[in-house]
Amino acid sequence: MIPFTQDIGAFFATIYGGIFIGVLFDLYRACKQNFNIIKIFSLFYDVLFWIIVTGLVFITINVIESFDLRYYHFVALFLGFIIYYNTLSKLILKMLNSIIGFITRSIRRCISCMCNISVNLYYVIIYSIHLLFDTIFYIPNLIFRLLNSLSLKLGKLKRVKSKS
């Protein structure tokens, strides 16, 4: 027989498990509010949430009582969830929404900056290559044609001078 004080300790430990389930529920709600992909695949994420909660309940009961399941474990889990939901849930949900919003805005800004940098880097590389090819091919060709044109004009001038 387990002493009564040990039962009370297990009861309060199971209440903490219910509070932790409440925190997970608020995290799930915050993700569902902020990400459209979770709204689309809502059934999948609901099942995933309940699998995680079930695993947490089994871990809590295993740590506390070594799978010696009693009715008050379920009462304590429910009581812990209700206490959390009625006291801290709104504050935690608001805080989680602001944290998730800040993280998503920061990631979007980083991606936008990286895209702007890559576009600018693209133009720097393209214009540098364009300048390089201009200096290698166009400018010597221009100088060659200019010299060619000058030599033709000088040749005509020599012929005109030689005829007179």
Side-chain angles (χ1 to χ4, degrees), residues 30-97:
C31 289
K32 200 169 186 176
Q33 289 173 359
N34 288 303
F35 300 116
N36 288 333
I37 190 77
I38 294 177
K39 289 179 187 175
I40 294 170
F41 297 108
S42 183
L43 178 68
F44 172 73
Y45 287 107
D46 287 342
V47 170
L48 182 66
F49 171 75
W50 284 111
I51 288 172
I52 291 171
V53 167
T54 303
L56 181 68
V57 167
F58 280 122
I59 289 170
T60 303
I61 292 172
N62 183 27
V63 168
I64 294 169
E65 292 279 339
S66 299
F67 285 116
D68 189 16
L69 188 60
R70 301 185 186 267
Y71 69 91
Y72 65 82
H73 290 294
F74 295 108
V75 171
L77 283 170
F78 182 71
L79 185 65
F81 178 78
I82 293 299
I83 289 171
Y84 168 78
Y85 192 75
N86 288 330
T87 56
L88 295 173
S89 179
K90 290 179 185 175
L91 176 70
I92 298 292
L93 185 62
K94 191 180 293 186
M95 186 175 66
L96 286 173
N97 279 331

Side-chain angles (χ1 to χ4, degrees), residues 118-134:
S118 65
V119 165
N120 291 335
L121 187 63
Y122 168 78
Y123 283 116
V124 166
I125 291 171
I126 291 299
Y127 287 137
S128 298
I129 291 172
H130 188 66
L131 178 67
L132 181 70
F133 279 115
D134 281 351

